[in-house]
Amino acid sequence: QVQLVESGGGLVQPGGSLRLSCAASGTIFTIYDMGWYRQAPVKERELVAAISPGGGTVYADSVKGRVTISRDHAQNTIYLHMNSLKPEDTSVYYCDANVDGMDYWGKGALVTVSS
């Protein structure tokens, strides 16, 4: 079984920064793509950023230039560095990983951007 655990969420003021972490643990041979999604109330879950094993990245247009995804292969961990946060970034952020061909999700981390 594989578990994904997010951390680093919280309350931040507009214009502030935050870093989310997601650590994968359990029986793991190969982790392929990993990514961050978010879901705000009454909205569909959307991709924020994704990273391939080789380091290739994809970002949603709404976060380009403000967000950086990174990966630590040794720790089976990905990070989401978010800057210049806006109230519309308020969401539950979910980590996703393809592990040995199966898709796993974390339980989510709430990020609230408010003054």
Side-chain angles (χ1 to χ4, degrees):
Q1 189 70 336
V2 173
Q3 295 83 38
L4 300 179
V5 179
E6 301 99 337
S7 60
L11 175 64
V12 61
Q13 292 188 341
S17 299
L18 204 64
R19 188 186 79 162
L20 300 178
S21 302
C22 171
S25 63
T27 303
I28 297 171
F29 291 99
T30 304
I31 302 180
Y32 297 98
D33 290 351
M34 298 184 76
W36 290 95
Y37 289 73
R38 67 185 182 186
Q39 187 168 19
V42 302
K43 288 190 176 181
E44 293 187 356
R45 190 172 295 189
E46 62 176 0
L47 173 70
V48 178
I51 187 166
S52 71
T57 57
V58 174
Y59 294 96
D61 288 343
S62 59
V63 302
K64 278 181 183 176
R66 301 189 296 120
V67 164
T68 303
I69 188 171
S70 60
R71 183 167 181 165
D72 183 336
H73 287 278
Q75 300 296 323
N76 289 336
T77 298
I78 59 170
Y79 304 94
L80 190 70
H81 303 257
M82 300 187 289
N83 301 308
S84 302
L85 283 163
K86 306 174 182 179
E88 51 263 43
D89 294 316
T90 296
S91 281
V92 178
Y93 285 73
Y94 296 92
C95 175
D96 167 67
N98 184 299
V99 181
D100 301 322
M102 292 188 64
D103 211 32
Y104 294 90
W105 291 88
K107 293 183 178 181
L110 177 62
V111 173
T112 302
V113 184
S114 175
S115 55

